[in-house]
Amino acid sequence: LLQQFCECTVAMPTWFCARELFDRVGGFSEAGPGTPEDLDFFYRHLRLGGSLGKVPEPLVMYRYHEHQQSRGVSSHAIWALRVAAMEQTLLH
């Protein structure tokens, strides 16, 4: 349960889901730049009873570049979302 709140979560480009699941979760946040929309999606998926599985072989190669959107997400925004998810999961 607590592993979902660790510093290193699953990087969004490395997970896949069916369109039906994506629609059930409600898609990604449209709040704009600086929003950790992948982490928000991940927590909403888990709150709806979702789970994760691991594929044993590599399917994608992920790389960073200076213009990617995730570089604009502050650690404060990420931790605010983590704390809110933790409060909702553990205190309610």
Side-chain angles (χ1 to χ4, degrees):
L1 174 66
L2 293 178
Q3 187 173 358
Q4 64 185 290
F5 303 113
C6 291
E7 179 66 27
C8 182
T9 55
V10 180
M12 185 265 155
T14 65
W15 46 268
F16 304 88
C17 67
R19 180 62 189 221
E20 178 182 310
L21 184 142
F22 181 83
D23 291 340
R24 187 172 350 121
V25 172
F28 289 116
S29 167
E30 298 290 335
T35 303
E37 69 276 348
D38 53 349
L39 189 59
D40 173 61
F41 182 93
F42 176 70
Y43 287 144
R44 287 185 287 128
H45 168 67
L46 293 177
R47 275 196 303 274
L48 291 171
S51 62
L52 301 174
K54 182 178 180 182
V55 177
E57 66 271 353
L59 300 177
V60 298
M61 180 179 7
Y62 183 70
R63 59 192 173 112
Y64 292 98
H65 59 86
E66 66 183 68
H67 300 293
Q68 68 191 48
Q69 288 294 318
S70 59
R71 284 192 172 279
V73 178
S74 71
S75 61
H76 176 75
I78 292 170
W79 278 105
L81 187 58
R82 282 188 177 131
V83 169
M86 190 179 299
E87 287 173 345
Q88 186 171 32
T89 302
L90 301 175
L91 301 178
H92 288 89

